[in-house]
Amino acid sequence: MSVSTKKEVVRKFYQLPPLELQSGKVLNEAVLAYETFGTLNQAKDNAILICHALTGDSHAGSSDGVPGWWDGIIGPGKALDTEHYFIICANVIGGCYGSTGPASRHPEDGKPYGLRFPVVTIRDMVQAQYHLVKSLGIERLLSVIGGSMGGMQVFEWAVMYPEFVETYIPIATSARFSAMGIAWNNIMRQAIVNDPDWCQGNYYGRTFPKKGLNLARRLGMITYRSFDLYEERFGREMNPLCNPFSMESEYEVERYLCYQGNKLVERFDANSYLYLLKAMDLHDICRGRGEYIHVLEQISAHGLFIGIDTDFLFPAQELKQTAEQLKSIGKPVQYREMKSIYGHDAFLIEWDMMNEWIGHFLSERRGTV
Amino acid sequence: MSVSTKKEVVRKFYQLPPLELQSGKVLNEAVLAYETFGTLNQAKDNAILICHALTGDSHAGSSDGVPGWWDGIIGPGKALDTEHYFIICANVIGGCYGSTGPASRHPEDGKPYGLRFPVVTIRDMVQAQYHLVKSLGIERLLSVIGGSMGGMQVFEWAVMYPEFVETYIPIATSARFSAMGIAWNNIMRQAIVNDPDWCQGNYYGRTFPKKGLNLARRLGMITYRSFDLYEERFGREMNPLCNPFSMESEYEVERYLCYQGNKLVERFDANSYLYLLKAMDLHDICRGRGEYIHVLEQISAHGLFIGIDTDFLFPAQELKQTAEQLKSIGKPVQYREMKSIYGHDAFLIEWDMMNEWIGHFLSERRGTV
C-alpha cells in the first residue's frame, strides 16, 4: 500500500503481527511506515537499515523531489550509495509519521489512543523493524546505522539480533541513556504536560498543546547545538526595533528558539514526543540481561562508533568507553570522533566526515578497499 | 531598622535615594536588605562586598544560628575571615529577600508592582550597592566577590567604580552573558509565563505559579551541575516501587529535580525570577561603552578570576580569555581554574580550593604573605 502525503513523499506501509512489547503488553494491528532507497539485489545481501532520531521519519534519503534528512550521505556516490545498497528506513513505533503511535486510532473504538497507547521501548522499535526487514525477504543486514535515538536502536539491533547484523554504526548516542539525558527529557515532558491544552493527552480534535511542545523543542534545540555555535551565530544580537530594557525584548537566539519550537508544533504530535522521550529514558542494553560486559559479549557485528567532541547530550566519552570495553573483550570496533562546532546535531550536518568514515568502513567490509 | 524574618535571620534595611536606572526610568522609595559579618575597623578600610547569585540573599555568612550560603569561606580562620574583614552582602534590587522587587508594594498605590516593576540591570544592582556602601562611611572596598550573577556584578563594580575597588574576584561568570546563557534563560522564563497561574504577573494574593517556577528551577538545576555528577549520584536508579513501563515511572534524577523545583517555589518569587534572568541577559560590560578592550582598560583593581572546568553555563574559557585580554593590556589579574565534578555550583561547594585561592590572594594584598 502506497499513500502520498502532503509533502508528496510516497511511503509504504507494513502491517505488523501482534507485537509483544517489553512491558508484556501486546500492541495489535500496528503498522510501520517505511521507505526504501536503491534496489535490493537478487542475493538480498545489500540491505542497510537506517534508524531515525527523536523527531525524524522514514524519509532519510531524497525521493519524490523531497530531500531526505540524511540526504548528505544517502545517494549515488555517497557513503550510503544507492547504486550499491538497498536502504530501508521506517518510522518508529510510537512516532507520528505513519507508524502506529498515540495519535493513531485504537482498534477497539476507532478513537485516538492518547495515553492509552502502551509505553514502547527502543527494543520494541527494533523488534518491529526486524519483522519489516524479514518481510522483505532479507536474512541479514549489511549494516544498521543511526544517530541519537537512532543510535540507541542500533545498539539494540546488535544485541538482539547478533547474527542478523554484519556491521553497526551508532553515532552520537550511548548504550545506556545517562542521568543527565533523563533530566533533559523530564523537563521537556513536563513542559508539555504543564500545558493546560494537553488535557491528559486528550487534545485530538481540540486545541493542540502548542505552547508546551514549543517549549520542549526549545530545550531540545539547546541540547542539539553547542555553546560556541550559538555564540558565533547569535552572540548578543537583539532585534534593533525592541527596547532592550523591557520584559518583552528579544535576543536573536530567543527568536530562533521560538521559531524552531513553532516549526515542530506544525509537524509533530505532542504525545508522540512524550512517548519517544520515555523510550529514550528506558534505553539500557543491560536491562534484564545482566552485567554490561556480558551484554557486550553478545554482540558479534563489526562496529564503527562515531562520537562528537561538542555533544553535551551524549558526551563522546560514553561511546568511546563502550568501544574500549568491546575492544578489551576482543570485539571488532572502531571509534572515531568528529571535531565539530555543531554539537549533537553534527551527525546531520558534517557530511564530509560522515561520508568519508562511513563510506570507508562499509567499503572495507565489501572488500573494495 | 532591623527586622527578624521567619528564619530568625536579622537583616538591616537601607533606604535608597531615587535610583536612576540604566533604562532611564527612576525607581523611587526602594530599599536594600543587607547583612554584615565581622566589624568595620576605624579606618574603614577592611570592607569586602559579596554579591549573590540568582536565587541568593544577603545571608552569605552564618549568624543568628542560621548557616549562610557562603559559610564555607566566611568566618574566623576562613578566606573571608570575619576577624579581619567587614563583610557586607545585600539582596539585589529586583530580588525577593527584603530588597525592593516586583513583589514589593508600588509607592503610588500600595499594591504589588508585578510587571509594573521596571527592568533592572546588573549595573542598577551595583549602583544601589554603591549607595549602601557609601552610607556606611566606606570610601574604598578591599574586594568585591561573587559567583554567577554575583560575578556579573563584580565585573560591573570594577568598571563602574574603578577607584572604589582594590580587588575584585569574579567566579564562574563572564563579562558579557553568552547566547547560550540567554537561551537557557529564555526557556526558564517561558516555563513561568506559560503557567496559567502566572496571570501576567498578577498572581499576588491568588494562586502562585508553582508549576512554572518549579519547571524553571529544574532546568536551572541541570545547568548548575555536571554530567558526571548526575551520573555518579543518580545513574539510572528508579523508584523500585514504580512500573518502569508506564508514563508515570520516575527515575531518581527526576525526583531530585522535582524536589529542587518545589523547594524554590517555597522560597522565591516567580516575578523576581523573571526580572533577575532578564538582568543577566542584559549583562554586557560593553553596552554603551565601546570596544571590549577599551572597557577593560577602565579597570584598575587587581583581579582574581576563578573558572570551573565542568561549568557549562559559564564555560571557564570565557573568564580565561578575559583574564588574558586584561594581561595583554598590562592589567593585574590572576586566573585559576577549579577542577571539580560539581559543575557551575562548585563555587558553593568546593571550599578547600575557594579558601586557599581567595585567602591567599587577599592576604597577599594585605602584605601578610
Side-chain angles (χ1 to χ4, degrees):
Chain A
M1 175 175 59
S2 287
V3 172
S4 177
T5 70
K6 273 186 287 186
K7 272 183 170 173
E8 308 296 340
V9 169
V10 179
R11 294 187 190 121
K12 303 177 189 110
F13 292 88
Y14 168 67
Q15 180 78 47
L16 284 160
L19 203 65
E20 190 168 331
L21 304 174
Q22 201 178 348
S23 64
K25 293 190 179 169
V26 176
L27 184 65
N28 288 310
E29 300 184 31
V31 296
L32 275 192
Y34 71 103
E35 293 172 62
T36 61
F37 311 90
T39 309
L40 186 61
N41 63 16
Q42 282 211 317
K44 300 194 174 181
D45 65 0
N46 67 332
I48 291 175
L49 180 72
I50 308 293
C51 304
H52 69 72
L54 180 63
T55 67
D57 63 3
S58 60
H59 199 58
S62 297
S63 69
D64 312 309
V66 181
W69 53 264
W70 241 3
D71 179 51
I73 60 168
I74 299 174
K78 298 174 188 172
L80 305 180
D81 194 328
T82 42
E83 288 174 2
H84 292 298
Y85 305 120
F86 177 61
I87 313 288
I88 309 160
C89 185
N91 184 217
V92 294
I93 280 288
C96 53
Y97 283 99
S99 292
T100 302
S104 305
R105 298 190 179 282
H106 195 301
E108 281 177 17
D109 60 11
K111 291 178 185 161
Y113 276 100
L115 290 196
R116 298 180 300 169
F117 195 74
V119 164
V120 292
T121 65
I122 301 295
R123 293 185 198 177
D124 297 331
M125 296 173 187
V126 168
Q127 189 203 162
Q129 291 160 5
Y130 177 77
H131 288 299
L132 164 67
V133 171
K134 291 272 283 184
S135 79
L136 300 173
I138 295 160
E139 289 300 329
R140 189 166 163 87
L141 288 165
L142 256 188
S143 196
V144 185
I145 313 178
S148 197
M149 190 186 84
M152 294 175 166
Q153 296 161 56
V154 170
F155 268 115
E156 279 297 344
W157 264 100
V159 175
M160 289 169 72
Y161 306 107
E163 297 309 316
F164 205 92
V165 182
E166 192 170 323
T167 70
Y168 66 116
I169 310 181
I171 307 167
T173 190
S174 68
R176 313 175 74 180
F177 199 42
S178 65
M180 188 58 99
I182 295 169
W184 297 122
N185 282 358
N186 171 276
I187 294 170
M188 291 198 279
R189 267 197 304 270
Q190 199 64 43
I192 292 170
V193 307
N194 274 5
D195 188 334
D197 288 330
W198 179 65
C199 296
Q200 292 291 313
N202 293 318
Y203 53 80
Y204 301 108
R206 305 185 200 170
T207 308
F208 186 85
K210 284 194 195 98
K211 284 185 180 177
L213 184 58
N214 176 305
L215 183 56
R217 180 61 164 182
R218 292 187 197 196
L219 181 53
M221 289 313 297
I222 288 191
T223 65
Y224 305 152
R225 302 286 195 243
S226 76
F227 187 95
D228 288 344
L229 183 75
Y230 274 19
E231 207 56 21
E232 186 180 296
R233 186 176 289 175
F234 305 110
R236 297 187 44 78
E237 285 302 309
M238 186 183 263
N239 179 346
L241 296 176
C242 70
N243 168 14
F245 303 108
S246 86
M247 291 302 277
E248 294 77 33
S249 68
E250 199 178 49
Y251 284 93
E252 283 301 317
V253 67
E254 298 184 274
R255 216 161 61 94
Y256 169 79
L257 293 176
C258 185
Y259 167 79
Q260 292 291 345
N262 287 336
K263 269 211 325 192
L264 191 75
V265 162
E266 293 301 315
R267 73 174 181 87
F268 211 82
D269 178 53
N271 282 338
S272 267
Y273 205 86
L274 296 178
Y275 276 84
L276 299 188
L277 292 181
K278 180 56 81 174
M280 291 177 74
D281 285 3
L282 291 166
H283 172 60
D284 178 359
I285 60 166
C286 296
R287 179 184 288 282
R289 291 178 180 144
E291 292 287 312
Y292 197 59
I293 202 77
H294 297 312
V295 178
L296 296 183
E297 271 167 359
Q298 299 171 31
I299 297 175
S300 58
H302 284 241
L304 168 63
F305 290 15
I306 303 179
I308 299 160
D309 66 344
T310 49
D311 191 341
F312 67 94
L313 184 54
F314 294 92
Q317 195 58 23
E318 291 185 293
L319 268 187
K320 192 177 178 189
Q321 277 172 3
T322 303
E324 281 164 3
Q325 283 166 301
L326 281 163
K327 275 182 200 161
S328 77
I329 55 172
K331 298 288 179 184
V333 60
Q334 296 174 30
Y335 174 75
R336 315 265 336 219
E337 194 166 305
M338 285 198 215
K339 288 206 181 307
S340 171
I341 194 176
Y342 289 103
H344 179 64
D345 267 1
F347 77 96
L348 300 166
I349 298 164
E350 297 279 14
W351 304 129
D352 287 351
M353 276 183 278
M354 293 280 286
N355 272 311
E356 187 187 327
W357 297 349
I358 295 172
H360 185 83
F361 176 77
L362 292 176
S363 304
E364 242 179 2
R365 305 297 316 157
R366 288 167 64 222
T368 60
V369 166
Chain B
M1 176 176 59
S2 287
V3 172
S4 176
T5 71
K6 272 186 286 187
K7 273 183 170 172
E8 306 298 338
V9 169
V10 179
R11 294 187 190 120
K12 302 177 190 112
F13 292 88
Y14 167 67
Q15 180 78 46
L16 284 160
L19 204 64
E20 190 167 331
L21 304 174
Q22 203 179 347
S23 64
K25 293 189 179 171
V26 176
L27 185 65
N28 287 310
E29 300 184 31
V31 297
L32 276 192
Y34 71 101
E35 293 172 61
T36 61
F37 311 89
T39 310
L40 185 61
N41 63 15
Q42 280 212 318
K44 299 192 174 181
D45 64 1
N46 68 331
I48 291 175
L49 181 72
I50 308 293
C51 303
H52 69 72
L54 180 61
T55 66
D57 64 3
S58 59
H59 199 59
S62 296
S63 68
D64 310 310
V66 182
W69 52 265
W70 239 3
D71 179 51
I73 60 167
I74 299 174
K78 298 174 189 173
L80 305 180
D81 193 328
T82 42
E83 288 175 1
H84 292 297
Y85 305 120
F86 178 63
I87 313 288
I88 309 161
C89 184
N91 184 216
V92 294
I93 279 289
C96 53
Y97 283 99
S99 293
T100 302
S104 305
R105 299 192 177 280
H106 195 302
E108 279 177 18
D109 60 14
K111 292 177 186 161
Y113 275 100
L115 289 195
R116 299 180 298 168
F117 195 74
V119 164
V120 291
T121 65
I122 301 294
R123 293 185 198 176
D124 297 331
M125 295 172 187
V126 168
Q127 191 204 159
Q129 290 161 4
Y130 177 76
H131 287 299
L132 165 66
V133 172
K134 291 273 283 187
S135 80
L136 300 173
I138 295 160
E139 289 299 329
R140 191 165 163 89
L141 287 163
L142 256 188
S143 195
V144 185
I145 313 178
S148 198
M149 190 186 84
M152 295 176 165
Q153 297 161 56
V154 169
F155 268 115
E156 279 297 343
W157 263 100
V159 175
M160 289 169 73
Y161 306 106
E163 297 310 316
F164 205 90
V165 182
E166 193 170 323
T167 70
Y168 65 116
I169 308 180
I171 307 167
T173 191
S174 69
R176 311 175 74 178
F177 199 43
S178 66
M180 189 59 99
I182 294 169
W184 298 122
N185 282 358
N186 171 278
I187 294 171
M188 291 198 279
R189 267 196 304 270
Q190 199 65 43
I192 292 170
V193 307
N194 273 5
D195 188 334
D197 288 330
W198 179 65
C199 295
Q200 293 293 312
N202 292 318
Y203 53 80
Y204 300 108
R206 305 186 200 169
T207 308
F208 187 83
K210 284 195 194 96
K211 284 185 180 177
L213 183 58
N214 176 305
L215 184 55
R217 179 60 164 183
R218 292 187 197 196
L219 182 53
M221 288 314 295
I222 289 191
T223 65
Y224 305 151
R225 301 286 195 243
S226 77
F227 187 94
D228 288 344
L229 183 74
Y230 274 18
E231 208 56 20
E232 186 180 296
R233 187 176 289 176
F234 306 111
R236 297 187 45 78
E237 285 301 310
M238 185 184 264
N239 180 344
L241 297 177
C242 70
N243 168 14
F245 303 108
S246 85
M247 291 302 277
E248 293 76 34
S249 70
E250 199 178 50
Y251 285 92
E252 283 301 317
V253 66
E254 299 184 273
R255 215 160 61 93
Y256 169 78
L257 292 176
C258 184
Y259 167 78
Q260 291 291 343
N262 287 336
K263 269 212 325 193
L264 191 74
V265 162
E266 294 299 316
R267 73 174 180 87
F268 211 81
D269 179 53
N271 283 336
S272 267
Y273 206 84
L274 296 177
Y275 275 85
L276 299 189
L277 293 181
K278 179 58 81 175
M280 291 177 75
D281 286 2
L282 290 165
H283 172 60
D284 178 358
I285 60 165
C286 296
R287 179 184 289 282
R289 291 177 181 146
E291 293 286 313
Y292 197 58
I293 202 78
H294 296 313
V295 179
L296 296 183
E297 271 168 359
Q298 298 171 32
I299 296 175
S300 56
H302 285 241
L304 169 63
F305 290 16
I306 302 178
I308 299 159
D309 67 343
T310 50
D311 191 341
F312 66 96
L313 184 55
F314 294 92
Q317 196 58 22
E318 292 185 293
L319 268 188
K320 192 178 178 186
Q321 277 171 4
T322 303
E324 280 164 4
Q325 283 165 301
L326 281 163
K327 276 182 199 160
S328 76
I329 54 171
K331 298 288 181 182
V333 60
Q334 294 175 32
Y335 174 75
R336 314 265 336 219
E337 194 166 306
M338 285 197 216
K339 289 206 183 305
S340 172
I341 195 177
Y342 289 103
H344 180 66
D345 267 1
F347 76 95
L348 300 167
I349 299 165
E350 297 278 15
W351 303 130
D352 286 350
M353 277 182 278
M354 293 280 285
N355 272 311
E356 187 187 327
W357 297 350
I358 295 172
H360 186 81
F361 176 77
L362 292 176
S363 302
E364 243 180 1
R365 305 299 314 159
R366 288 169 64 223
T368 59
V369 167

